[in-house]
Each structure stands twice: as C-alpha cells, then as structure tokens.
Amino acid sequence: MAIEFDGLKEKTLVLVKPDAIQRGLIGKIVDRFETKGLKLVGVKMMALDEALLREHYAHLADKPFFTSLAKFMQGSPVIAMCWEGLEVVNAVRLLCGITKAREAEAGSIRGDYAMSVSCNVVHASDNVGNAKREVSRFFKEDELHDYAKSEYNHVYAEDER
Ligand code: IDP
Ligand code: MG
C-alpha cells in the first residue's frame, strides 16, 4: 500500500541534526511540533551513510561547503521524524525558520536555538514533492504508523477534518 499524503495525512520529514543532539535539544524540538498539534507517525535514530547523505543533499553536491556539511551531518546519528497534518510541509517549514539561523525569526526553532548557517539544528522538507521523496527515503512503509489522535477534534475544525 502506498504512503498517503493527502489532506490530514500530508507528511513531512524532519531531521534533528547532530548539533541539536550534542546540545541536548531533542526534547525541546519535538515539543514544538507536538504542541503545534502535529501527529508524529514515524521516528528513529539513525546514522546517515554516504549514499543516503548524497541523495538527501544532492541539490548541494556542487557547493564548496558540501564536504563540511557531510562531515557535520555524520558527526553523530540524527533523529528522523515523520510528522503528519493538514498542509504540514508548509507549517513545519514556518516552525523551523530560515536556513541562516542567526537571522531566523524569533519564535521559530532555528530563531530560538541556533546561530549558524550549517549547524541549524533541524532539517525539514521544503515542498510536498520533496516531502514525499524524503519520507520514502528515510522510512519504510511499516515504520510509519496510522492511528487516531483524539486531540484532532480540537486541533482542527469540523470542516477541516
Ligand atoms: P534548508 O535546510 O533551510 O532547507 P538548504 O539550502 O536545503 O536549506 O541547505 C541544506 C543544509 O545545508 C542547511 O540546512 C545547512 O545545514 C547547509 N547549508 C546551506 N547553505 C549553506 C552555506 O552557505 N554554508 C554552509 N552550510 C550550508
Ligand atoms: Mg532544504
């Protein structure tokens, strides 16, 4: 069965990056998404091997900083999470803030917890097409869970559910 991405089942990939693991920020970062009302449907700790990293950051392969980015991302395992919700890809990007963390909006995760362009604590898929590719790249179908969340009765209005 294919992974569902429509309506309330839209999904996005979030990585808690090695800088956040080292700085003990896992709980604080997860809290932002949970408190927002998103549903966690997949989570695991994993090391990024060379092949996965190259695929994930293919759009940056020609950049001068690619080698240091790869080293940074392989400095420790990451936490990979799949979050679900209505228009969740966009909502999660807004929660994360812009790439250059020291200019990210206060209140966003990067705005509150980071200062660097590269060590910016989280990755989030940047559009629905990439979210589909990234969720499938990091999670097998049986690692994603479909369950009812009672909170949804209050997180979303009736016409949004
Ligand atoms: P995003 O994570 O905000 O989507 P991308 O442009 O997709 O930003 O870049 C992926 C990651 O590569 C960034 O989060 C950051 O860790 C790193 N990165 C991007 N631009 C630079 C740069 O100019 N110098 C160093 N690292 C960078
Ligand atoms: Mg990106």
Side-chain angles (χ1 to χ4, degrees), residues 50-132:
E50 207 63 36
L52 184 61
L53 195 77
R54 286 198 166 275
E55 219 185 329
H56 181 63
Y57 283 137
H59 64 295
L60 300 174
D62 297 336
K63 300 283 185 193
F65 57 82
F66 184 80
T67 308
S68 58
L69 175 63
K71 191 172 168 214
F72 159 60
M73 289 300 290
Q74 292 181 310
S76 78
V78 301
I79 306 287
M81 302 184 285
C82 181
W83 289 93
E84 193 178 83
L86 190 61
E87 297 172 11
V88 72
V89 174
N90 187 50
V92 164
R93 285 292 285 194
L94 291 173
L95 284 175
C96 287
I98 62 168
T99 312
K100 188 176 178 182
R102 56 186 173 272
E103 290 181 5
E105 199 173 350
S108 68
I109 293 170
R110 285 167 169 170
D112 287 356
Y113 298 131
M115 282 295 286
S116 168
V117 175
S118 48
C119 301
N120 54 12
V121 300
V122 277
H123 164 81
S125 307
D126 63 359
N127 62 57
V128 175
N130 281 336
K132 287 180 182 174

